[in-house]
Amino acid sequence: MKYEKWTVAPPDPAALAALEEAGISPLLAAVLSARGVRVPQEARALLEGGETALEDPLALKDMAQAAGRVRLALERGETIAVYGDYDVDGITATCLLTDFLRRKGGAVIPYIPDRLEEGYGLNREAVTALKEQGASLIVTVDCGITALEETAWARSLGIDVVITDHHECKSGLPAAQAVVDPRRSDCPSACKGLAGVGVALKLAMAINGPEGDGDVLAEYCDLAAVGTVADVMPMTGENRTIVRLGLEELSHPRRLGLALLIREAGLEEKAITATSIGYTLAPRINASGRMGRAQMAVELLLTRDRERGEQLAQELCALNRERQTIEGEIFRQCVDRLDRAPQKGAVLLADPEWHQGVVGIVASRLTERYGCPAFMICLDHGMGKGSCRSWGGVNLFERLAECSDLLEGFGGHALAAGFTVREENIPLLSRRLREGLERALGAGASPAALEADAEVEARELTVEAVADLDRLEPCGTGNPRPVLVLRGALIQSMSQVGRGRHLKLRLESKGTPLDAIFFSADGAELGLAPGGRVDVAFYPQINEFRGTRSVQLQVADLHPAPTRAQAERAVYEKYRRGEGLTPAEARLLMPSRAEFVGLWRYLQRRCAGLGRVEDTASRIARGASRATGQREAAERVLLCLEVLAERGLIDLETGPQGVAVSLRQVERKVDLEASPILGRLRQAIRGGSAEA
C-alpha cells in the first residue's frame, strides 16, 4: 500500500449534467468535472480545441545571441559540436539540433558523455577532444547551466560556447556566448516548463527565422514529444501543443529510427500515447545512456539506413532487458536492507557495487514502495555519485541546496536530481536531508496522498467509456492520467508476472470481472490472497491481445476493503456526523422498500403485547431479517427508524444501550418517499452530498 490516504474529488451534479447533456460520456464527464471543467465550452477547448500557439523563441533570454552565433558558424563553415545529456531528453535534443544543423549544411559533431566514465554535463577532457576534432563552437542541450569552469576552459582553448538548458540555475551563470534557460530569474519567457529538447526546438526555430517556425515544429515535434514526456515535464501550455502534435506524428512515424523502435517495442499496431512513450519507448532509449552506450540511441534516431536501424533497435531493446535485470537485483538488495533497518522520512542508501546508470530508476521504485523521497549513492574510492527522486511534491533541488556545504556538486529539478558527495559526509547528509524534509512537510505530516478523480462502479468501465478517456491525451504533470477508485472488489486469482516483478490480479465486482496489473508489487508481501476484498485506485486502460480489446486496471494503490458491515457502520457514523456522502456511500446506506415493510411488521408484532420495544439495533435487524428473508444491516435499520420517526409513525429514543420504539396511532396514510432523510440520500446518489 503506497498511500495512507486517498482523496477522491467530490462529484459536481450540475457540471455532470451539463457535460453529459453536451454529449460527453458519463465517465469522461466525471473526470472533467472533478478537475474543475464544469461547462461544455471549457470541455471542448480541452478536448477538441486548437493547439496553443508557440511563443516567439526570441522571448527566451539570450536566444537572439544564441541563434546569431550559430548562424555565424553555419555561414563560416565552422565545425559545431552539439553536446547533450545521456537521458532521453538530452538524446532527443542532441538528435534534433544535429539533424536540423546538418540540413542547414552544417558540419556537426553530436556528443553525449559516457555516463559511467565521464558523468553528467560538460567536462574538460571532452571539450579538449572536441577541439582536436576541429570544433570551434559547442552548443549544449539539456545541460551546461552549472558548467562555469568547463565553459571557461573551452574559451581558453578558443572554443565559443552556447548554453541551452532547462535545469534549475544557481547564483552564477557560465561566461558563455549565450545562456538560454527558461528557469533563469531574468528570463521573461512564460515557458518555464520546457524540457531540454523543447529549448533545443526553440533554438532551431530561432535560427530558421519566423517564416519557417511551422516547418521546424512539424519536422521535429516527434523528437520533442518523446523527450518532453520522458522528462516528466508539465503537460500544459506549449508542452501540450508539442506533445499532441508529436503523438499525431508518431502514429505514422516518418523518422526511420523511431519507426523501427516502435515496431521492435511492439507498438506498431497500437495507438501511441504519452503513457506508451513513458513506459515503453523512453525506457529503451534511456537504457543506452544508463548502460554507458548513449551513442547507440543517437545513431538510431539519426540513421537513414534501414538495415543498420533494425540492428540498433534490436540492440536497444536487448540493452533495456539487461538494464531491467540489473535494476531488479539492486532493488531487491535495497528492500532487504530496509526490511532489516527501516528508515523514516526518506530512504538514503549507498553501495560500492551498484551500477551508477540504474540507481535513479531504483530510487523511483523505492519512492513508490515506501512513500517518501529516495536518495541512492554509488560509491567509488571515497566519492559518492547520487541520484534522487521526489515523493509528495518535495522539492529536491531546494533540499540539496540546503546541504550544499556537504556536497561536491548537485543539479537537476524539483522532482529528480543528482549530486556528488564524499563518503565521510554521507551520515551527516542523511541527517540534514531528513531535517530539511521534516521542516518542509511539517513534523509528523504525511508526505503524499493519492488524488483520485472519482469513485466508480465496475459496470461503468466499458471499453467504449475507457477508450473515450484518451481524449484527455496527452497526459502528464498538470494534466494527469485519470485515477479512479473501485470499492470492495473480490480477488478471484492472483499471480506474479514479468519474472516476478509485477502482480496480476483477476477481480470481480458485483458480477463484473476485471483484470488488473500492479507494477513492482508482490501479492504475498502485501498480504493479499484469493477470496479477499480490496479497494483499488487505478488508471483505466485498454488492453489489446490477439485482436481483442478489454478493460484493464493499472493499479496505482490498493487497500484491504472493510467488510460490508464495517463499511455500513462507517458510512452511518459519517452520516450522523453531518458529513457529505459519496454516491457509493449513499447507495450503501439507502434502505429498500422491502426493508421498511419487514421492519414495520416486526415492530407491530413486538409492540402488540408490550406496546414498546427496547432492544439493540442489531437484534432488531435480525428480527426484521426473518420477516423479509434478507439480511438487514443494523445501520440501515437505525436509518429506517429515523425515517419512521420523522414521518410521525413511531416515537424513537436512542441511547448507549440501544433504542426504544413505540408505535403511534396514525389515521392518515403516510408517504415515506417524502422523507427529507431519504431525499438527501437520493440527492447524494445523484452526485450531490447528503448531510444530516
Side-chain angles (χ1 to χ4, degrees):
M1 293 64 177
K2 299 178 183 178
Y3 301 84
E4 292 182 9
K5 181 181 179 182
W6 297 354
T7 302
V8 183
D12 184 331
L16 281 169
L19 294 173
E20 289 182 35
E21 189 175 340
I24 296 172
S25 64
L27 192 58
L28 180 56
V31 173
L32 289 171
S33 63
R35 299 180 178 190
V37 179
R38 296 184 171 86
V39 296
Q41 297 92 316
E42 294 176 358
R44 282 193 290 271
L46 176 66
L47 302 174
E48 303 167 5
E51 310 334 352
T52 300
L54 266 58
E55 181 185 63
D56 183 349
L58 296 181
L60 287 161
K61 181 74 173 177
D62 276 11
M63 181 60 86
Q65 295 93 313
R69 180 62 185 90
V70 176
R71 282 200 209 98
L72 182 62
L74 291 171
E75 293 168 5
R76 290 175 173 175
E78 296 179 58
T79 297
I80 304 169
V82 177
Y83 194 112
D85 185 21
Y86 38 64
D87 67 0
V88 181
D89 189 15
I91 290 171
T92 52
T94 300
C95 293
L96 185 157
L97 197 56
T98 296
D99 187 74
F100 171 79
L101 294 175
R102 284 178 175 172
R103 293 188 184 205
K104 289 288 183 182
V108 186
I109 303 171
Y111 189 88
I112 306 281
D114 186 295
R115 183 179 198 135
L116 307 180
E117 298 296 329
E118 300 175 76
Y120 171 80
L122 279 174
N123 66 81
R124 287 193 173 203
E125 292 76 12
V127 170
T128 302
L130 290 170
K131 171 66 175 179
E132 292 171 354
Q133 295 177 60
S136 55
L137 173 64
I138 294 176
V139 182
T140 73
V141 289
D142 194 34
C143 65
I145 197 64
T146 61
L148 280 68
E149 295 180 3
E150 294 79 5
T151 299
W153 174 251
R155 293 188 67 179
S156 74
L157 297 179
I159 301 177
D160 286 344
V161 179
V162 167
I163 303 289
T164 76
D165 202 347
H166 74 130
H167 292 95
E168 297 283 357
C169 305
K170 297 181 182 178
S171 55
L173 296 176
Q177 296 285 60
V179 179
V180 182
D181 188 327
R183 294 182 185 271
R184 283 181 60 166
S185 60
D186 59 348
C187 180
S189 171
C191 304
K192 303 300 182 184
L194 287 173
V197 70
V199 180
L201 176 68
K202 291 272 191 170
L203 175 58
M205 294 169 71
I207 294 168
N208 209 49
E211 67 284 350
D213 278 2
D215 295 338
V216 174
L217 179 59
E219 183 62 37
Y220 297 106
C221 60
D222 55 350
L223 291 172
V226 172
T228 298
V229 170
D231 227 42
V232 199
M233 292 295 102
M235 209 50 59
T236 55
E238 291 199 4
N239 283 344
R240 185 168 176 80
T241 297
I242 291 169
V243 174
R244 179 174 277 181
L245 291 173
L247 292 177
E248 292 175 4
E249 174 64 25
L250 289 168
S251 65
H252 303 285
R254 292 174 294 164
R255 198 171 309 279
L256 178 61
L258 280 175
L260 294 173
L261 184 60
I262 287 170
R263 187 180 70 181
E264 187 66 27
L267 295 176
E268 193 172 32
E269 301 300 324
K270 300 179 181 179
I272 303 296
T273 65
T275 301
S276 54
I277 289 176
Y279 282 90
T280 305
L281 288 182
R284 285 160 171 77
I285 298 172
N286 214 11
S288 65
R290 292 190 176 280
M291 305 302 285
R293 299 178 64 185
Q295 206 61 38
M296 179 193 299
V298 172
E299 184 182 356
L300 172 64
L301 297 182
L302 291 176
T303 190
R304 288 178 169 77
D305 182 328
R306 174 170 289 276
E307 185 176 346
R308 176 60 176 157
E310 290 175 347
Q311 178 186 352
L312 289 166
Q314 292 168 6
E315 290 179 4
L316 268 187
C317 291
L319 202 60
N320 188 53
R321 290 190 290 272
E322 180 184 347
R323 185 270 306 168
Q324 289 174 328
T325 300
I326 296 171
E327 170 204 326
E329 178 55 33
I330 295 175
F331 179 74
R332 282 189 288 273
Q333 292 176 21
C334 292
V335 171
D336 288 344
R337 287 167 63 170
L338 292 168
D339 285 346
R340 293 194 301 270
Q343 298 184 9
K344 185 178 179 182
V347 169
L348 190 148
L349 298 169
D351 197 284
E353 301 299 322
W354 288 340
H355 192 295
Q356 184 187 331
V358 303
V359 292
I361 303 177
V362 176
S364 293
R365 292 180 63 184
L366 292 174
T367 63
E368 294 181 355
R369 184 181 181 94
Y370 295 102
C372 63
F375 301 79
M376 296 283 289
I377 303 172
C378 300
L379 298 173
D380 184 21
H381 296 92
M383 193 66 73
K385 291 186 177 181
S387 292
C388 51
R389 297 294 185 269
S390 179
W391 182 260
V394 170
N395 189 314
L396 293 176
F397 190 86
E398 292 178 357
R399 302 289 76 77
L400 291 174
E402 291 174 347
C403 304
S404 59
D405 57 308
L406 298 176
L407 303 174
E408 301 302 301
F410 71 96
H413 306 295
L415 302 181
F419 59 95
T420 305
V421 60
R422 293 187 180 277
E423 187 172 359
E424 62 266 24
N425 288 339
I426 291 176
L428 182 56
L429 175 65
S430 177
R431 181 168 65 82
R432 292 260 299 272
L433 284 171
R434 286 184 169 83
E435 290 172 351
L437 288 167
E438 187 171 321
R439 285 194 302 273
L441 294 169
S446 177
L450 177 68
E451 295 185 0
D453 293 293
E455 284 189 21
V456 296
E457 300 285 346
R459 57 181 169 77
E460 300 175 69
L461 299 172
T462 64
V463 169
E464 293 75 20
V466 171
D468 200 38
L469 296 177
D470 285 345
R471 297 173 66 190
L472 291 166
E473 284 284 347
C475 293
T477 306
N479 181 47
R481 298 167 65 192
V483 178
L484 306 175
V485 171
L486 178 66
R487 302 285 186 185
L490 174 69
I491 301 175
Q492 291 186 322
S493 63
M494 49 184 277
S495 60
Q496 297 299 135
V497 297
R499 291 177 289 179
R501 296 179 62 219
H502 312 306
L503 176 63
K504 185 174 179 59
L505 297 159
R506 180 70 169 176
L507 305 175
E508 182 270 328
S509 177
K510 297 180 181 178
T512 301
L514 291 165
D515 289 320
I517 184 74
F518 197 178
F519 291 116
S520 302
D522 185 296
E525 290 180 358
L526 294 175
L528 303 177
R533 290 190 179 273
V534 289
D535 294 336
V536 187
F538 62 94
Y539 306 104
Q541 60 187 24
I542 301 297
N543 185 45
E544 297 187 23
F545 182 68
R546 294 179 179 173
T548 300
R549 306 177 81 221
S550 61
V551 173
Q552 184 179 60
L553 316 187
Q554 183 186 325
V555 179
D557 197 16
L558 48 74
H559 291 163
T563 65
R564 185 175 180 87
Q566 290 171 332
E568 288 167 346
R569 189 174 306 119
V571 171
Y572 181 75
E573 290 171 356
K574 184 177 177 181
Y575 161 79
R576 291 300 302 151
R577 291 194 299 268
E579 299 176 15
L581 302 183
T582 67
E585 289 171 335
R587 280 192 290 269
L588 192 65
L589 203 56
M590 174 66 85
S592 67
R593 179 172 179 79
E595 287 175 296
F596 276 111
V597 171
L599 175 61
W600 183 252
R601 289 174 178 170
Y602 174 75
L603 293 175
Q604 285 179 319
R605 287 198 307 273
R606 287 287 304 272
C607 291
L610 302 174
R612 178 180 173 90
V613 176
E614 295 184 8
D615 212 335
T616 65
S618 296
R619 282 197 287 266
I620 292 175
R622 285 197 293 272
S625 296
R626 287 192 289 272
T628 62
Q630 298 178 354
R631 171 190 172 275
E632 306 287 352
E635 285 68 32
R636 283 208 303 280
V637 163
L638 283 170
L639 191 128
C640 286
L641 292 172
E642 290 180 29
V643 171
L644 294 174
E646 179 190 58
R647 303 304 293 157
L649 292 169
I650 65 172
D651 291 318
L652 175 65
E653 300 173 23
T654 60
Q657 303 304 316
V659 297
V661 180
S662 301
L663 300 187
R664 286 185 176 186
Q665 295 297 323
V666 179
E667 301 298 332
R668 58 185 173 81
K669 188 175 181 180
V670 175
D671 182 11
L672 291 181
E673 292 300 314
S675 161
I677 292 175
L678 297 181
R680 288 195 293 272
L681 287 179
R682 283 192 290 270
Q683 179 186 1
I685 291 172
R686 289 193 299 268
S689 61
E691 298 178 357

